[in-house]
Amino acid sequence: MAGLGVLEVNDATFDKEVLQSEQPVLVDFWAGWCGPCKAIAPAVDAVATKYAGQLKVAKVNVDQNGATPSRYNIRGIPALLFFKGGKWWTRSKGGSPRNSLKKRSRRCSAPQR
């Protein structure tokens, strides 16, 4: 279900692709049966396109990968987590409105002062 510019990661690749990333990362925890996950997918894809080269966008299917969602206490989906410098930075739960998602993405992708 990943769009153009969106990386699918799993329990085995999460640390390398997210925590060790040089760029900030938006991680979308989702499942194929989740209606709200499908509803926000276009907004997540738009963020990946808009911030290409500044912000990495990744998706983790919670049905196929249990360790990573458990590690970050994901209890409901969709859940959007932003990571910066290898650390969890901020979280957005549920069907985050497109403008809010873009605003958080812009803040996360901005260079640190």
Side-chain angles (χ1 to χ4, degrees):
M1 188 169 141
L4 188 61
V6 178
L7 178 66
E8 289 192 39
V9 297
N10 57 43
D11 289 339
T13 61
F14 187 86
D15 286 1
K16 180 178 185 270
E17 296 294 343
V18 176
L19 301 182
Q20 297 171 15
S21 176
E22 301 268 328
Q23 296 177 328
V25 185
L26 165 61
V27 180
D28 177 11
F29 290 88
W30 70 284
W33 50 263
C34 171
C37 298
K38 292 176 185 177
I40 69 161
V44 172
D45 292 346
V47 165
T49 300
K50 181 173 177 106
Y51 295 100
Q54 299 173 316
L55 176 72
K56 185 188 282 189
V57 178
K59 286 185 171 265
V60 176
N61 184 317
V62 299
D63 286 338
Q64 298 171 352
N65 302 281
T68 303
S70 178
R71 185 164 140 192
Y72 292 99
N73 202 28
I74 304 300
R75 299 286 181 241
I77 55 173
L80 303 170
L81 274 63
F82 289 86
F83 291 83
K84 197 169 188 176
K87 299 195 185 317
W88 170 77
W89 184 68
T90 189
R91 171 186 220 146
S92 178
K93 292 192 292 187
S96 190
R98 184 180 294 248
N99 289 339
S100 174
L101 181 56
K102 286 185 179 180
K103 180 179 175 183
R104 287 176 185 243
S105 298
R106 185 173 48 252
R107 285 182 42 219
C108 187
S109 66
Q112 292 182 346
R113 296 179 188 184

